[in-house]
Amino acid sequence: MQSTVNPKSSSRVLIGVGGGIAAYKVCEVVSRLFKSGVEVRVILTRSAQEFITPLTLATLSRHPAYTDDSFWQPIHSRPLHIELGEWADLIVIAPLTANTLGKLAYGMADNLLTNTVLASTCPVLLAPAMNTDMWEQVAVQRNWQLLLTDRRYHGMSTASGLLACDRIGAGRMAEPPTIVNHIQSLLHTHGNRDLAGKTVLISAGGTREFFDPVRFIGNPSTGKMGLALAQAAMHRGAKVILVHGPASWEVPLGVEPIPVVSADQMQQAMLDALPKADVIVMSAAVADVKPRDYSSEKLPKRSLPENLPLAPVTDIVAELGKRKQPHQLLIGFAAQTGDIITPAKEKLQRKKLDIIVANPIDQPDSGFGSDQNQAVFLDKQGQQIEIPPCSKLAMAHYLFDLTVPILEGIKII
């Protein structure tokens, strides 16, 4: 059976800005969302206006920004907080201050932002930002944990770094690209944590097979697809273990990283983590061969062999297929040119995969290094789903959309 995924229609995001220096970062969040086709509305608290103006955010969102003055003006046909609460598909509060956190934790509402949150039913994404000592206060952490017991609320981890108070420590707000990725995830899932309680093991990036300290056989994989898979799984509530080759990106907070270099190292890491996993996604571009010999010193150019002797690399996916248990799902990737379906079907069967993702790497904006991707998903029941060009994060979610029902159908005896 063959089908095609239809991209979701435009979404509506309401951003609440708290009073903190990190408010300046919200400008980039709003700009990125608007450019991606998301409708954006913004509420500023009174203290937020000490750091950033309503005019700035109105210009970036192409819509007037709301303040507490808007709340109390009788110019709306219905109460403004009711209209905004019903309008939003998602509410984002960034930066979330200790003051607003305390109000939300105890259901208090004394301004437009907090009234709108209580008058809504959509998911709420929280991006806290404050001084390290403030963030680590027992009362603040108690409020944070209390608020997160409500499944509407999705909390982002604070980063550590140099704060505006010159303190180095926790409390730094997540960066705009990270916030936007989480927003995109929640718009796709509607806040559903359908991988909660599951462990997802992912491999990402290319491997490097060295024949001396500075030269290696490799491939152009950047690991962006594996990174997107890790983000999507984490946003859906999973515990994520990411085994990755050399990469230029940082592993997201909340993901367990296992850095490796060679195919042998990746195989060992994947096999060690396999017993913990419910879902295994092998998205890494692993070498097929490696140099037969290794020199511990750099070889002079004149000493390089005209024909480099090669040895095969162990097939990690096939080995995982042999060892996986009935309650585990194994997903592989097949980067192909030309006919992508025939070799993918063969690989699906031969390597005992549950699902395979066939990527046409000879198409524009797909494959290695691109922020976009397109693919055909095939499963062992014969289902075939075409994914048109989309972001790699969206593709990761489409893959988990297919995976979750299969997981739910597995009965552990």
Side-chain angles (χ1 to χ4, degrees):
M1 181 178 67
Q2 183 169 358
S3 60
T4 302
V5 164
N6 294 316
K8 299 183 184 299
S9 58
S10 177
S11 301
R12 298 175 294 195
V13 174
L14 176 64
I15 297 182
V17 185
I21 187 61
Y24 78 91
K25 295 183 179 180
V26 178
C27 295
E28 184 178 346
V29 173
V30 173
S31 179
R32 284 174 176 258
L33 289 175
F34 179 83
K35 290 175 181 177
S36 70
V38 174
E39 290 185 64
V40 185
R41 303 288 183 268
V42 182
I43 295 174
L44 294 92
T45 64
R46 195 168 299 282
S47 57
Q49 295 173 67
E50 299 294 328
F51 297 91
I52 191 170
T53 68
L55 177 59
T56 299
L57 293 169
T59 302
L60 293 171
S61 66
R62 277 62 163 188
H63 191 277
Y66 299 103
T67 66
D68 284 349
D69 290 339
S70 313
F71 190 21
W72 303 116
Q73 290 178 2
I75 60 174
H76 307 283
S77 57
R78 301 175 66 219
L80 179 58
H81 63 296
I82 304 296
E83 284 191 353
L84 290 174
E86 293 177 351
W87 175 86
D89 295 319
L90 173 68
I91 296 174
V92 181
I93 303 180
L96 173 70
T97 62
N99 186 43
T100 299
L101 169 60
K103 292 176 185 178
L104 294 177
Y106 289 93
M108 299 171 64
D110 65 350
N111 59 15
L112 176 57
L113 175 58
T114 50
N115 273 273
T116 301
V117 172
L118 294 187
S120 65
T121 58
C122 65
V124 182
L125 178 62
L126 306 169
M130 61 194 78
N131 164 269
T132 302
D133 290 330
M134 294 176 67
W135 176 243
E136 293 178 350
Q137 286 291 326
V138 172
V140 171
Q141 287 301 307
R142 182 177 61 239
N143 290 343
W144 178 244
Q145 296 304 323
L146 176 62
L147 191 56
L148 294 183
T149 61
D150 185 337
R151 291 184 62 83
R152 280 190 68 199
Y153 294 96
H154 299 256
M156 300 192 70
S157 300
T158 62
S160 294
L162 179 64
L163 307 180
C165 58
D166 290 332
R167 175 76 179 272
I168 297 176
R172 185 181 179 91
M173 191 174 84
E175 295 303 314
T178 304
I179 296 174
V180 171
N181 279 342
H182 208 141
I183 289 171
Q184 297 288 5
S185 286
L186 293 177
L187 290 174
H188 184 100
T189 64
H190 307 291
N192 188 8
R193 296 180 176 90
D194 51 11
L195 286 175
K198 303 296 184 183
T199 297
V200 179
L201 171 61
I202 300 168
S203 70
T207 60
R208 296 179 178 180
E209 310 301 326
F210 284 83
F211 60 86
D212 73 10
V214 298
R215 301 183 182 95
F216 61 86
I217 298 174
N219 60 63
S221 174
T222 59
K224 288 182 179 180
M225 189 68 238
L227 174 63
L229 287 160
Q231 291 169 328
M234 181 177 64
H235 296 160
R236 296 174 85 128
K239 176 184 178 181
V240 181
I241 303 172
L242 181 62
V243 178
H244 66 90
S248 60
W249 37 261
E250 294 183 1
V251 175
L253 292 171
V255 170
E256 179 183 341
I258 304 179
V260 298
V261 176
S262 69
D264 288 342
Q265 292 172 349
M266 180 169 284
Q267 173 177 284
Q268 190 60 55
M270 293 295 291
L271 293 178
D272 288 346
L274 180 62
K276 308 173 189 176
D278 298 287
V279 181
I280 306 98
V281 188
M282 194 69 193
S283 68
V286 184
D288 296 308
V289 294
K290 62 183 178 181
R292 189 186 65 193
D293 303 311
Y294 176 76
S295 170
S296 60
E297 296 182 356
K298 180 184 176 182
L299 295 171
K301 188 175 182 179
R302 64 180 178 277
S303 300
L304 292 176
E306 292 186 7
N307 298 303
L308 183 66
L310 299 175
V313 169
T314 302
D315 191 326
I316 301 177
V317 178
E319 190 63 31
L320 293 170
K322 293 176 185 176
R323 301 194 187 197
K324 83 178 184 74
Q325 300 300 305
H327 71 279
Q328 295 177 311
L329 285 184
L330 178 58
I331 302 170
F333 274 66
Q336 300 289 155
T337 58
D339 173 19
I340 66 172
I341 303 298
T342 302
K345 285 183 176 178
E346 188 273 333
K347 185 176 180 180
L348 178 72
Q349 298 298 323
R350 178 169 52 86
K351 300 192 178 184
K352 299 180 180 179
L353 300 171
D354 296 289
I355 301 170
I356 193 164
V357 180
N359 287 124
I361 59 173
D362 53 354
Q363 298 299 312
D365 293 325
S366 65
F368 298 133
S370 173
D371 293 325
Q372 302 288 111
N373 212 344
Q374 56 183 302
V376 178
F377 297 163
L378 302 99
D379 65 22
K380 62 183 181 182
Q381 282 75 38
Q383 187 174 202
Q384 190 169 308
I385 303 173
E386 182 179 348
I387 309 298
C390 62
S391 71
K392 288 186 172 177
L393 182 64
M395 177 162 290
H397 279 296
Y398 288 134
L399 180 57
F400 289 128
D401 289 345
L402 175 61
T403 302
V404 169
I406 299 175
L407 274 178
E408 292 174 346
I410 294 176
K411 295 182 180 179
I412 301 176
I413 301 175

